[in-house]
Amino acid sequence: MKDISHLPEQPDPFVVFTNWFHEHSTHTKSAHPGACVLSTNGLDGFPNARFLSLKLIEVPFLIFGGTRESLKAKEISNDPHAALTFWWEESKRQVRVQGIAATTSDEHSDFLFRRRDKAAQLVSTISQQGAHLNSWEDLKDQFDAALASRYNESIARPENWCGFKVEPTRFEFMEFMDTRLHRRTLFSKKNNEWVVKMVQP
């Protein structure tokens, strides 16, 4: 396991994150290597968390997709402070990210949407994420019909679907040890530079 306790004077947590993510993606048996938990500040005062899939690492942003009407979108619009949490079982590593979230440009959103598989694209055209559902069977019928009739078509990105980007202000990298003497390294952005320190387990 790589030691990140000895870092250059001007460390870059994106280098560490990208390396760890690449190792995880290479060795994981999961079909969703980008799976992580997005936490936001709820409109009702309660914290809110849900799993989603990280789609791009584009310094200085971590990027995922979703709809503008979703609860996460409303919460980000109300309070852009957000967190992403990654747990990688094979390497026994955890990464916690805190930062500021925003929507991406239309061009970026188009690019992300094109990368989705056809079923996911079609779901985005028929589902109003988070809205009340009267009948799951009716929605399933709509999806099956769309899948049968439009599978070979090019699906345009719905106007309500977009990319979201989180610009991190903190990264915490934790390497789990069987002894429970875990290694924790915290990067914090101050005056536009990254400051790094070790944290006790």
Side-chain angles (χ1 to χ4, degrees):
M1 183 174 292
K2 294 182 179 178
D3 183 357
I4 62 173
S5 62
H6 302 292
L7 294 160
E9 292 184 2
Q10 292 185 330
D12 185 346
F14 276 97
V15 173
V16 180
F17 181 82
T18 301
N19 288 340
W20 279 25
F21 187 81
H22 175 72
E23 290 179 22
H24 166 68
S25 300
T26 301
H27 296 103
T28 185
K29 298 176 182 177
S30 171
H32 306 285
C36 59
V37 175
L38 169 70
S39 300
T40 50
N41 293 309
L43 302 178
D44 57 2
F46 286 91
N48 214 348
R50 75 286 283 162
F51 278 96
L52 49 75
S53 183
L54 182 72
K55 296 303 182 185
L56 285 176
I57 304 169
E58 191 170 282
V59 180
F61 302 114
L62 302 179
I63 299 173
F64 56 91
T67 67
R68 299 180 192 274
E69 284 81 25
S70 64
L71 185 56
K72 63 177 175 288
K74 294 175 182 177
E75 291 172 345
I76 287 171
S77 177
N78 182 65
D79 183 348
H81 294 84
L84 293 167
T85 307
F86 300 81
W87 166 246
W88 295 324
E89 177 66 28
E90 287 83 0
S91 58
K92 297 295 189 291
R93 288 170 170 172
Q94 174 186 273
V95 183
R96 298 167 61 200
V97 180
Q98 292 171 291
I100 303 300
T103 56
T104 65
S105 67
D106 285 343
E107 291 77 15
H108 241 118
S109 298
D110 287 339
F111 174 74
L112 287 172
F113 190 78
R114 287 195 298 269
R115 286 165 56 100
R116 308 190 87 200
D117 64 46
K118 189 57 64 72
Q121 290 180 342
L122 289 170
V123 167
S124 298
T125 66
I126 66 170
S127 173
Q128 297 177 342
Q129 190 177 62
H132 175 72
L133 179 64
N134 289 317
S135 169
W136 187 87
E137 288 75 15
D138 287 347
L139 188 66
K140 177 66 164 53
D141 289 343
Q142 290 181 50
F143 172 74
D144 289 342
L147 198 62
S149 63
R150 304 185 63 192
Y151 187 82
N152 293 320
E153 294 180 13
S154 176
I155 308 299
R157 175 178 64 88
E159 290 187 6
N160 72 337
W161 196 97
C162 66
F164 294 89
K165 57 187 180 182
V166 175
E167 183 172 8
T169 56
R170 294 190 193 97
F171 281 89
E172 184 189 281
F173 298 91
M174 179 181 283
E175 300 173 88
F176 279 70
M177 304 295 180
D178 291 338
T179 61
R180 310 299 293 178
L181 191 65
H182 310 314
R183 302 179 68 95
R184 294 173 66 189
T185 306
L186 176 65
F187 291 78
S188 301
K189 200 168 191 179
K190 296 181 180 179
N191 299 321
N192 232 19
E193 291 186 354
W194 289 103
V195 178
V196 60
K197 65 180 180 180
M198 299 298 292
V199 182
Q200 295 190 39

